[in-house]
Amino acid sequence: MSRLAGLAGEIYSWLMASDSSTSTQDSTTVVGADADVDVAVDVTVDVDVIVIGAGVCGIYQLYRLLEMDLSVTVLEAGDAPGGTWYWNRYPGARFDSESYTYGFSFSKELLDEWDWSEHFSPQPETLRYLNYVVDKFDLAQHMQFGWRVERATWDEGSRTWEVTREDGTSLTCRYLLTALGLLSVPALPNYDGMDSFTGQSFHTFHWPKDPVNLEGKRVAVIGTGATAVQLIPELAKSAGSLTVFQRRPNWCAPLHNGPISPDEMAEIRARYDEIFERCANTPGGFIHGPDPRSFHEVSPEERHAFWQELYEEGRGFGIWLANFREVLMDEECNAEFTEFIANKIRDRVDDPVVADKLIPKDHGFGIQRVPMETNYYEAYNRPNVHLVDLNETPIETITSKGVRTADTDSFQGTEHEFDIIVYATGFDAITGAFDKIDFIGVDGQKLRDKWVDSPITFMGALVNGFPNLITLAGPTAGSVSTNFPRGIEIAVDWASDLLTHMLNNGQTRVEASAEAERAWTDHVREMYGFLLLRKAKSWFTGYNANLDRPQKPRYMIYTGGNPRYRKKLNEAAAAGYEGVDLD
Ligand code: NAP
């Protein structure tokens, strides 16, 4: 018997229809009562809670809901759990944050059992880890795969959601929780002729499960974001030739990955509490927090020595997030550090013309998400790697044989022939996965209409007009801008506490108030004002030129920092969920 059903039964003296620990097809009799709305007295739902998505977030949320003795089904479009680590199988895919900061912290047993083999775990190991978690806690029995949700419709009378898949079948639930991922809707370009290409072509997100034979192949990569920066050095090693089509370069910095020895793993394990505590208190939720010194109180020589150390030895995002605060807030400080990094690129790339093309001109270091690299710049020193600058020679069309660029010295342009074209062209980030589902709330309002200009939420978790929908680590949540798993735990714990509070108080309807939502959205916008990243033309600000929508800034993430975000969530909860209408 599920707890929700049990409590409803206790409160309203109703009988339970089934034991929820079996399948999602079981029925649970639940109840609502509202003086204003004609609420059905006896409503049958398939499960108490539906979670959409079986990635890192969905897995942890499922674990928490089962702990609360609720009946839950996780609906997942893929055919196995793992989310982003299930889909992104391209060569070189790995964490950019330290493995031991990425794992779940909720189970000491799990922490004791799992060994990370590298400081930045490669995708296959991460996927193994997530499957290990699913198996350990016996979670797969509550998941349905190949379930791509097409529509979710709120019914005010019964206070239930009906969730419908592509084939028209549907399930009903009391609470609908989204764990859709930030970057789960790949954005392909819309070049003419893409369908006519006779070789293999795919977006990095859809890199085939079967091995791709690269030996001697002519390979194209379009795009130079964090994904391409991981992929390019790997392809360079095995492809016959590799041509990179670059529109705007990014500022990249060395990852400094390495193996974790058994002794080191034992030492990490002993420090897990300290590691998670540290992550909880840095602005980004990562292990790296800003240098306590002010940029201005340190001499230029000392600054350079510090940067040199970060560049040569600092692991992962340290160079971005353990730098002086001013580097990300003040144009002048940013320009000085940016020049330091530009010189590193010049040092590492043999051909000065190529080096110059790889140096961004339209934004400073760290304004966009910094791709972490391993031999990225050295890849361009190989004879089999070529860089095509799309500002000089834009892509005109994809042909049956490859890519035709418009060259200034040739009327017909140049046709580059390939066996494989890889689109590393990014995502319809953060709101894209929500737009793909037709969420229909109170009075038929559509979520995609409400968010057409920019997402509007209460703390990234609740949306006015969409009761009983909890957008876990959703748009404008702090968890979106922090180390994702650490942010996920914050979001899931808050949502689980909210549901527990409702169960304990016999409440069956939750909705953010319009005022609280407005105040949060204003606060999110205000926080953007403090960081230079507000100027980014990247997914942080909702840009992707491949998307059929106006290219203007969207306030996608909460940039006020992890501790402030957590404090605000905790304060709202402590005040009896201030800003949230509960009934
Ligand atoms: P991205 O950062 O959005 O980069 C997309 C790239 O494709 C950009 O270089 C973009 O150029 C280019 N592009 C897009 N459309 C194009 C077109 N029509 N023609 C030519 N170039 C085009 O996407 P991403 O590299 O997949 O990375 C997205 C995010 O995924 C990262 O920021 C990161 O948060 C996450 N990620 C994480 C990891 C990790 O943690 N290990 C690894 C990889 C990615 P413009 O800049 O000119 O638009």
Side-chain angles (χ1 to χ4, degrees):
M1 181 187 299
S2 79
R3 179 146 183 245
L4 175 59
L7 278 165
E10 278 168 33
I11 294 160
Y12 300 102
S13 307
W14 278 323
L15 285 172
M16 303 310 302
S18 70
D19 183 330
S20 64
S21 63
T22 52
S23 88
T24 56
Q25 303 309 322
D26 289 348
S27 294
T28 303
T29 304
V30 291
V31 157
D34 190 304
D36 306 324
V37 183
D38 186 17
V39 178
V41 180
D42 187 354
V43 177
T44 300
V45 287
D46 293 308
V47 271
D48 297 329
V49 185
I50 288 177
V51 178
I52 311 177
V56 179
C57 185
I59 290 171
Y60 179 45
Q61 183 63 82
L62 172 60
Y63 173 85
R64 287 298 313 269
L65 293 167
L66 294 174
E67 226 182 19
M68 292 159 63
D69 201 17
L70 292 166
S71 67
V72 192
T73 285
V74 176
L75 303 177
E76 165 59 51
D79 58 18
T84 200
W85 301 106
Y86 167 84
W87 294 102
N88 284 289
R89 291 160 190 262
Y90 61 85
R94 65 172 64 249
F95 289 155
D96 273 353
S97 40
E98 286 71 2
S99 308
Y100 37 90
T101 69
Y102 198 100
F104 294 114
S105 72
F106 66 85
S107 161
K108 172 138 184 4
E109 214 177 272
L110 177 62
L111 291 168
D112 284 343
E113 286 168 6
W114 185 262
D115 288 343
W116 295 104
S117 69
E118 295 181 45
H119 282 271
F120 302 91
S121 163
Q123 176 269 340
E125 178 171 321
T126 306
L127 189 57
R128 263 200 313 281
Y129 168 73
L130 293 172
N131 279 306
Y132 181 83
V133 176
V134 168
D135 290 347
K136 179 176 172 62
F137 298 106
D138 206 9
L139 300 177
Q141 60 172 315
H142 304 283
M143 297 174 171
Q144 295 191 39
F145 300 105
W147 227 101
R148 189 171 287 285
V149 175
E150 190 176 77
R151 190 170 60 251
T153 313
W154 171 248
D155 181 68
E156 190 66 58
S158 59
R159 295 185 172 183
T160 60
W161 281 96
E162 182 181 31
V163 179
T164 310
R165 73 200 287 185
E166 286 160 323
D167 67 4
T169 53
S170 62
L171 289 171
T172 54
C173 61
R174 266 294 185 202
Y175 298 99
L176 179 59
L177 274 52
T178 54
L180 302 177
L182 308 179
L183 299 154
S184 51
V185 178
L188 279 170
N190 44 14
Y191 292 121
D192 286 344
M194 281 173 61
D195 288 343
S196 70
F197 180 62
T198 51
Q200 256 187 305
S201 70
F202 35 79
H203 190 281
T204 45
F205 188 76
H206 290 127
W207 188 278
K209 278 188 194 169
D210 295 331
V212 177
N213 178 13
L214 297 160
E215 215 55 50
K217 295 282 165 56
R218 300 160 303 171
V219 182
V221 171
I222 301 179
T224 48
T227 299
V229 166
Q230 290 188 330
L231 173 71
I232 286 165
E234 291 302 312
L235 295 185
K237 284 187 223 164
S238 40
S241 72
L242 174 65
T243 305
V244 178
F245 292 88
Q246 173 186 271
R247 195 163 58 186
R248 287 188 315 141
N250 270 291
W251 294 105
C252 313
L255 179 67
H256 293 306
N257 186 29
I260 299 179
S261 68
D263 284 352
E264 215 173 346
M265 191 62 230
E267 187 266 334
I268 288 166
R269 183 168 284 124
R271 288 195 303 111
Y272 264 133
D273 285 349
E274 181 195 322
I275 289 169
F276 293 134
E277 177 68 17
R278 164 99 184 132
C279 292
N281 289 302
T282 62
F286 295 90
I287 200 141
H288 311 283
D291 192 274
R293 296 167 297 173
S294 161
F295 177 93
H296 301 286
E297 73 188 32
V298 179
S299 70
E301 293 73 30
E302 271 181 276
R303 287 203 286 268
H304 278 250
F306 172 54
W307 289 339
Q308 185 66 19
E309 196 182 311
L310 281 178
Y311 196 87
E312 296 297 335
E313 292 158 38
R315 281 215 165 95
F317 286 138
I319 196 145
W320 187 23
L321 304 175
N323 214 316
F324 303 110
R325 271 171 213 278
E326 290 87 343
V327 165
L328 299 182
M329 300 174 83
D330 178 299
E331 303 268 13
E332 251 178 65
C333 308
N334 182 270
E336 189 177 315
F337 184 64
T338 296
E339 187 51 24
F340 171 87
I341 297 287
N343 283 328
K344 291 292 178 197
I345 299 172
R346 292 183 188 109
D347 289 347
R348 289 174 60 185
V349 179
D350 295 344
D351 181 339
V353 176
V354 175
D356 192 56
K357 287 186 200 301
L358 291 168
I359 294 175
K361 308 291 186 304
D362 67 340
H363 66 282
F365 181 92
I367 309 302
Q368 297 187 173
R369 201 280 206 181
V370 177
M372 303 311 303
E373 49 86 21
T374 304
N375 297 327
Y376 176 64
Y377 292 109
E378 287 71 17
Y380 292 95
N381 297 334
R382 299 175 67 110
N384 66 331
V385 178
H386 316 283
L387 181 66
V388 175
D389 183 344
L390 295 179
N391 300 303
E392 292 170 2
T393 55
I395 293 175
E396 263 194 344
T397 180
I398 307 294
T399 68
S400 61
K401 292 185 189 157
V403 176
R404 183 183 295 284
T405 50
D407 295 354
T408 43
D409 53 355
S410 152
F411 178 67
Q412 288 192 319
T414 301
E415 186 173 32
H416 306 260
E417 294 188 8
F418 298 112
D419 302 303
I420 302 171
I421 299 177
V422 184
Y423 296 100
T425 46
F427 296 87
D428 186 357
I430 303 181
T431 47
F434 287 89
D435 289 344
K436 281 259 176 199
I437 298 172
D438 196 12
F439 286 97
I440 305 172
V442 173
D443 295 333
Q445 186 186 7
K446 297 202 174 209
L447 189 61
R448 66 166 79 98
D449 292 342
K450 176 166 177 149
W451 287 0
V452 68
D453 290 326
S454 200
I456 301 167
T457 79
F458 177 61
M459 298 209 273
L462 298 168
V463 187
N464 181 256
F466 296 81
N468 294 15
L469 173 70
I470 305 184
T471 53
L472 300 164
T476 80
S479 35
V480 172
S481 56
T482 63
N483 188 358
F484 197 45
R486 302 275 64 80
I488 278 172
E489 287 188 340
I490 295 170
V492 167
D493 289 344
W494 193 81
S496 305
D497 290 349
L498 169 63
L499 290 176
T500 303
H501 174 90
M502 293 179 70
L503 294 168
N504 289 341
N505 290 286
Q507 292 154 329
T508 56
R509 190 183 190 281
V510 53
E511 182 182 4
S513 76
E515 304 75 57
E517 186 180 72
R518 206 171 305 121
W520 176 253
T521 306
D522 288 348
H523 177 58
V524 168
R525 289 177 185 221
E526 184 195 349
M527 286 291 131
Y528 263 81
F530 293 104
L531 292 180
L532 294 174
L533 79 74
R534 68 183 179 277
K535 300 186 169 184
K537 288 209 163 162
S538 77
W539 66 271
F540 277 3
T541 45
Y543 280 90
N544 187 317
N546 299 315
L547 303 175
D548 184 21
R549 67 169 182 234
Q551 295 297 296
K552 56 179 191 176
R554 290 159 69 86
Y555 301 90
M556 307 290 259
I557 59 182
Y558 179 61
T559 59
N562 189 34
R564 187 184 278 112
Y565 178 62
R566 211 179 47 246
K567 185 163 172 276
K568 285 187 178 291
L569 285 176
N570 290 343
E571 281 171 359
Y577 295 95
E578 197 174 19
V580 180
D581 295 332
L582 292 165
D583 178 54

